[in-house]
Amino acid sequence: PEVNVLVADDGLQHLALARDVEIAVMDSRGVGNGWMMPAGPLREPLGRLARVDALVMNGAAAVPAPNHVPRYEMTLEGARFYNLADPHIERDAHEFKGPVHAVAGIGYPPRFFAHLRGLGLVIIEHAFADHHDFCAADFSFLKNTAQEPEPIVVMTEKDAVKCVGFARYTMWVLRVEAHLSPDLMPRILELINGRKTA
């Protein structure tokens, strides 16, 4: 009963869901080939962008949104990892020596891999489909021998929550924070306060 604001992820395409503010988030891929699924990456036609309240860009891309839709910048930043088996243990990126296995079951794994390389990591890529339901068998490459230490794995926080049940001390999670244009939040509050509840 104390809640007066609900934030829904991926809610735009569910038209029956009442909403007061709509924000479209797009990344460096932009609109791809401009086609809707399954032929392209879009969930709705490009014309739908004319009806959103704001467009947030995670990386540079040319997005053909109308001029009346304000645009805001966003970046994901992070260089510190926590251990999946014991989140109290943390490491900086420069503490990982040699190649590490990078696992990603997100919408665009190359962005995660590029971020890791930008931190100076040498990685072996393991890309899975978005929302992949991880199981221990997905990490069969972790079998070690007496002569070799078990390989290190790094992953996203989104994927890590699915791997807690078989966590190992060789699994590390990249902690990231979203940095948004400072004028976005005042715009959202203005829109919320200026409208009646849905």
Side-chain angles (χ1 to χ4, degrees), residues 18-80:
R19 73 281 313 272
D20 296 302
V21 180
E22 291 184 318
I23 302 171
V25 181
M26 304 191 83
D27 62 20
S28 58
R29 294 171 291 174
V31 298
N33 61 9
W35 294 359
M36 291 178 56
M37 297 173 73
L42 302 181
R43 298 182 184 187
E44 295 189 67
L46 276 174
R48 181 68 171 83
L49 289 176
R51 301 196 307 275
V52 301
D53 295 293
L55 179 61
V56 173
M57 296 302 304
N58 180 11
V63 177
N67 290 333
H68 73 272
V69 178
R71 296 178 185 230
Y72 303 90
E73 298 298 320
M74 172 186 137
T75 58
L76 287 176
E77 299 178 9
R80 196 152 178 81

Side-chain angles (χ1 to χ4, degrees), residues 99-160:
V100 300
H101 292 266
V103 172
I106 57 176
Y108 190 53
R111 183 173 60 215
F112 176 62
F113 300 146
H115 184 96
L116 295 175
R117 289 193 182 93
L119 296 175
L121 295 179
V122 177
I123 64 171
I124 301 167
E125 298 179 8
H126 299 273
F128 292 82
D130 194 15
H131 302 295
H132 180 72
D133 189 12
F134 284 97
C135 65
D138 293 324
F139 297 85
S140 58
F141 55 84
L142 287 180
K143 294 178 180 177
N144 63 325
T145 67
Q147 292 78 30
E148 297 181 15
E150 186 171 299
I152 297 293
V153 175
V154 294
M155 64 183 71
T156 69
E157 289 184 295
K158 175 183 175 181
D159 297 323

